[in-house]
Every structure is written in C-alpha cells, then in structure tokens.
Amino acid sequence: MRKNWTRIFLGMLCFCLLTGGTASADRAERQAEAIPMRGIIEGFYGTPWSQEARLRMLQFMGKHALNTYIYAPKDDPYHREKWREPYPEAQMEQLQLLIRTAQENQVEFVFGISPGLDLHFSGAAGEQDMKALLLKMNALYNLGVRQFAIFFDDIQNKDAVAQTRVLNEVNRRFVHEKKGVKPLFTVPTEYFSADMMDTKGPKEYTGTFAARLDPDVLVMYTGPGVVCPGIPLQDIEKIEHIYQRKMSVWWNYPVTDYMQSKLALGPITGMETGAAVHMAAFLMNPMEHEALSELALATGADYTNAPSTYDAEASWEKALQEQYAGQAADMKLFAEHSQHMENNWARAGRADAPLLRAHMDALWQAVQTNADTQAERTVLQADLKELAAGLQRLQTEPPRQLQQEGMPQLVLLQQLVQADQDVLFLLQADEAGQKHLADGFYQKLLRERDALPSEAKVRISDKTARAFLDEAIDWYEHKKLDLPVQ
C-alpha cells in the first residue's frame, strides 16, 4: 500500500513538473512572439489628456504589459507650435512625475517633438534650430527620458534630404552620444502606404527619405491609409522593403479627432496574420476620452502580446468584464453601437451592431416583397426591448467612464431606440390597413428625427439604429406617393 502511494505521489509530482514546464514554455513562446514595443501614442488633435488621465493610463499600461508611451499631443504648444521654447517649471514637474510613474510601471516614456511647421534646415537659422532641438531633448533627458521621437507628419515641407539630415544629425550628436538613449522614432511626411507608393514603386520623397535615413532610426507609418480597416501582410512587407527595417505602426484607432462626435469602443481589428512579425512597434492613438479609450486599448494589449492567438471578440468581452464588472452586459449593448468610424477618407473598426442590422435588413426584405412581417417585427422588437432596458440601467446608474465621457451618446441611442420601436408600430399599422394610425406614427417619426442632435455634435449607430429611422421615413413617403423606394 505504501508503495502505491509513493507511485501516486511521484506521478503527481512529475505531472506538475511537466505541466508547469509546459506553462512556462507557453509563456516564453508568447513573450517571444510579442511585438517588441507595444503601447500608446498620445498623438491626437484636440484637448490633451490631463495629468490625472495620463497617470491612470500609465498604470493601466503596466497592468496590461504595454511597454511604450509616446508623449506627442498635437495641441500641446511646447510639443509642436512652440517646440523651441522650454516647458514652464510647473509642466516640467508634471512631466517628471509622468516619467517616474512610467518607470514604476515598466513603461518607456518617449518624448516626441514635432518641429516641422517652421523648422529651419540650413544656414545660421538651421544651426540655431538644431541647438534648440538638442537643448529641448537634453532638458527631458535630465528628467529621465531615454527615448525620443521627431515627427514630420502633417506639414507642407516635403524636403526628404533636409529632414533626414536633421534626423541623422540628432542621431549622431545626441542619441549615439548620450548614455542609455534608445533608438529615435520618426514619422515621415508621407506616412501611409497609399501616399508613399504609386504603381512604379516608392514616390520620390519616400525613396529619398528611406535611402538617406540612418538604419537604426525607427520609422512609423499608419498602414494603407491614415485611418484604415487594417494592415494587410503584403502592405507592411512592401514598406519594410522600402525602408529596409521593421516598421513601427502608428495605429489610428480608437482615436476620433477626425469625428469627435462619435466614440470608438470596439476592439482592435484588421491585422492580417503574419503582419506582426514585421512590426518593431505597434502604438495606438487613443481618443481624447482616456477612460473610454481603455476598452479598445485593452484589446490592443492582447493583440500585441500574442498576435497569433488574438481573438478580437473574446478580448473585447474580457475587457468589458474587467472594466465594467456587473454592468458589462449593458455596456456591451451600448458599445456595440459605437465601433465603426467612417467619413469620406477614413474607415476603421467593426460594423455597429451587426446582428441588429441583419434583423432590420430581414424586415425590409419582407416589406419589399409584401410578405407578412410579424415574425421579423417580433424578433426586432425583442432586440430593441433588450437594448432599451440595458440603456435605461446605464442611464440610472452610469459607470464612471460613461458618466464622464459618453452621456450624450447614451441619450442619443435611447432616442433612436424609441424611434425604431415606433417604426415597428408604423409597419404594423400599415400592414393592417390602418392608414390613419400609420400616418400618425409617420408624423411622430418626423418629430423624433427633428429632435435628434446634429451628427456633428453627437453620433452613434450611424448605419444601424439611426439609418433604420431614416429608411422608414423614406419608405413611407415613397409609399404614400406611389414612388419606388430609392
């Protein structure tokens, strides 16, 4: 009997050692495939984050194994417009606290400068500006910064020779001279592939910039477009070939500075399998809304730490649970309607509430074929009832993040859900031949639409809840006039 227990004990010990070894090997494999530099670039236009928001974000980054934070708010005057001027003493003290907090959370604090609006490249003025640039960097070095970025994005001057001369000079006189300084980041003036290449290959600016830039400088680009659905493997391979180095990705999601009325609350998506291998860094540009940005940023942390096993939906649901706990289910209902960002030049994020949209499309298909729509209306009514209840719970007891940064969008979605429910009553009355009742609901829909705020001020569920209201009004107006629906 004693021998049997000995065998059992030894067997269990071996099992634990083997499984422990397997777990360690799995962790090592995940760490090996992680994108080396992963994190956030505070690089949006608009009101920069507060000191408190930045401190919270650095702590958030530490918890999610995000290791790089680039300080580059476009509307910090000392970063861009007044780049030559030293920071006032009070702001230097704030920066020092940020640097120390970053270090405590194993985050590299990268200081960015955007001098391209008025930088002089030659002559006495050029040398004076070089001294100002180095002086600014040295002041931050003395605070503890050990990595820097010099950006030439969103400027008129596309002198690749002059720009690379400045970067290489900074590399020689500062990065390589100062103890412990890590490689310099830059963003060229052509920073997305559609602007960097044509059918013949790299354009003149990009070709010159790539050929003349020191090989150890980290080059950032935003993918095929400034704001785009994802990065195809072929795209990043082409840019890597041009620059002869792994690329650093400046990812413009969840940033909303080009559409400030909407929130970007979906997960990071669109990275083709294998693209991560070609990335030296993956840095997400967030919204002005630091707290609500954390939803997408948490999924980006999962992607950058284990690209090959990343599951956007699972990561998003995990982030919702971690950040909203007992209110996660209701926040999911809300956030589903605020994932997709699109205008005439930008497109990113998953579709808003795709299942609800599919149910709406099924209803319209039945309407157009003059079929009985009761089944489709019943499904959609259940969807809207569930959504309305979840939004009401959020309205009654809003999470901190939503209360601070998303209440206008919550109120708008509630208005749209009410209007969409009235659309169903309109369709029911019309199908029953109750013209007077249907006309009444039509008039109510017009009033509800007129009461909506301008999309320039607040926006949500553009192509789902909002579109359904517009579609219903258009359908009824054409039906009344006996015209085909457009």
Side-chain angles (χ1 to χ4, degrees):
M1 187 71 174
R2 187 174 300 155
K3 289 181 180 179
N4 289 340
W5 278 111
T6 302
R7 289 195 190 98
I8 292 169
F9 173 77
L10 290 172
M12 291 176 66
L13 179 61
C14 289
F15 175 78
C16 291
L17 290 171
L18 285 170
T19 56
T22 301
S24 299
D26 288 345
R27 282 195 298 272
E29 186 176 347
R30 285 197 299 273
Q31 290 169 353
E33 74 149 339
I35 297 169
M37 289 170 281
R38 49 197 185 273
I40 293 161
I41 176 163
E42 187 187 338
F44 53 82
Y45 291 91
T47 305
W49 282 345
S50 67
Q51 178 78 348
E52 293 73 21
R54 290 179 181 132
L55 290 170
R56 283 195 302 268
M57 182 54 66
L58 289 168
Q59 292 164 356
F60 169 88
M61 293 177 68
K63 291 175 183 176
H64 289 83
L66 294 171
N67 61 18
T68 305
Y69 167 80
I70 299 185
Y71 177 90
K74 288 289 196 295
D75 290 322
D76 170 358
Y78 299 99
H79 160 77
R80 198 162 186 252
E81 292 180 359
K82 298 180 180 180
W83 65 269
R84 295 178 184 84
E85 299 181 24
Y87 278 94
E89 184 177 349
Q91 285 180 258
M92 287 291 278
E93 290 175 359
Q94 288 187 332
L95 286 168
Q96 186 153 38
L97 178 57
L98 292 176
I99 295 161
R100 185 164 63 247
T101 304
Q103 292 168 346
E104 291 169 355
N105 287 277
Q106 290 76 54
V107 175
E108 188 73 45
F109 185 99
V110 182
F111 181 75
I113 308 175
S114 290
L117 291 174
D118 60 0
L119 177 68
H120 297 99
F121 291 103
S122 60
E127 182 54 34
Q128 195 65 29
D129 274 359
M130 175 59 69
K131 289 179 181 178
L133 190 58
L134 296 176
L135 190 64
K136 188 72 164 272
M137 295 172 69
N138 197 62
L140 273 296
Y141 179 87
N142 290 337
L143 290 186
V145 175
R146 292 298 180 268
Q147 193 162 20
F148 296 84
I150 298 176
F151 297 148
F152 291 110
D153 56 311
D154 300 346
I155 61 172
Q156 296 298 315
N157 187 338
K158 292 178 69 171
D159 188 339
V161 173
Q163 289 175 5
T164 52
R165 187 188 305 123
V166 167
L167 293 168
N168 294 342
E169 190 72 1
V170 168
N171 219 19
R172 182 179 67 83
R173 292 168 60 173
F174 188 91
V175 176
H176 294 166
E177 286 293 322
K178 290 283 190 179
K179 183 179 179 180
V181 177
K182 296 181 179 180
L184 182 69
F185 279 99
T186 192
V187 178
T189 309
E190 292 176 357
Y191 57 82
F192 58 98
S193 57
D195 196 37
M196 298 161 79
M197 299 182 294
D198 56 27
T199 55
K200 299 176 183 177
K203 294 181 181 178
E204 181 180 357
Y205 168 90
T206 293
T208 301
F209 195 98
R212 290 177 173 267
L213 186 66
D214 283 354
D216 60 331
V217 176
L218 297 160
V219 180
M220 304 187 78
Y221 98 124
T222 60
V226 181
V227 180
C228 50
I231 296 185
L233 176 59
Q234 187 179 49
D235 186 81
I236 197 168
E237 285 178 334
K238 286 181 179 178
I239 305 305
E240 180 183 73
H241 179 72
I242 291 170
Y243 273 99
Q244 291 296 295
R245 69 200 80 197
K246 288 189 175 184
M247 298 304 296
S248 297
V249 174
W250 173 320
W251 190 241
N252 278 320
Y253 193 94
V255 68
T256 58
D257 56 8
Y258 59 96
M259 192 185 292
Q260 292 181 316
S261 59
K262 191 170 184 181
L263 303 169
L265 303 178
I268 298 300
T269 57
M271 305 303 138
E272 187 174 344
T273 301
V277 176
H278 301 273
M279 298 178 188
F282 186 92
L283 300 162
M284 297 165 282
N285 194 10
M287 296 184 278
E288 278 187 26
H289 312 295
E290 170 267 330
L292 286 177
S293 291
E294 290 182 3
L295 193 52
L297 299 178
T299 71
D302 287 346
Y303 168 70
T304 54
N305 278 284
S308 66
T309 58
Y310 175 65
D311 181 323
E313 180 65 21
S315 177
W316 189 60
E317 292 188 0
K318 182 185 75 171
L320 281 161
Q321 191 62 46
E322 288 175 350
Q323 294 175 27
Y324 296 96
Q327 294 177 293
D330 292 337
M331 271 302 297
K332 181 181 178 182
L333 289 171
F334 172 72
E336 279 183 332
H337 288 263
S338 201
Q339 303 182 85
H340 190 67
M341 304 294 296
E342 184 171 356
N343 62 15
N344 60 354
W345 59 269
R347 183 164 63 91
R350 302 192 303 185
D352 292 335
L355 182 59
L356 182 64
R357 181 68 259 185
H359 292 165
M360 291 171 171
D361 291 341
L363 174 60
W364 286 130
Q365 186 175 3
V367 168
Q368 290 165 5
T369 57
N370 295 316
D372 184 336
T373 65
Q374 182 176 348
E376 289 79 9
R377 283 188 282 106
T378 299
V379 169
L380 199 47
Q381 184 62 58
D383 291 340
L384 294 172
K385 183 178 179 181
E386 179 188 20
L387 179 56
L391 296 178
Q392 185 56 49
R393 287 190 292 269
L394 291 175
Q395 174 84 348
T396 303
E397 192 176 347
R400 171 187 63 84
Q401 302 95 316
L402 192 60
Q403 187 170 31
Q404 292 175 349
E405 303 172 340
M407 292 306 288
Q409 286 80 8
L410 174 62
V411 171
L412 174 57
L413 189 54
Q414 288 178 303
Q415 291 176 276
L416 292 172
V417 170
Q418 177 60 61
D420 288 352
Q421 289 174 319
D422 288 334
V423 169
L424 300 183
F425 291 131
L426 166 64
L427 292 170
Q428 182 180 7
D430 180 76
E431 195 168 320
Q434 299 172 317
K435 185 176 183 306
H436 181 72
L437 187 59
D439 284 345
F441 278 114
Y442 164 70
Q443 292 298 328
K444 186 180 182 186
L445 292 180
L446 291 178
R447 292 192 298 272
E448 287 173 322
R449 187 169 68 176
D450 288 343
L452 297 176
S454 163
E455 288 191 328
K457 293 182 178 179
V458 57
R459 190 182 189 112
I460 196 168
S461 199
D462 320 43
K463 297 182 179 180
T464 304
R466 173 57 195 261
F468 188 63
L469 170 60
D470 293 332
E471 290 158 3
I473 291 172
D474 183 67
W475 168 78
Y476 196 71
E477 288 175 345
H478 283 80
K479 186 177 189 300
K480 285 175 64 177
L481 296 173
D482 197 27
L483 293 173
V485 178
Q486 299 297 314

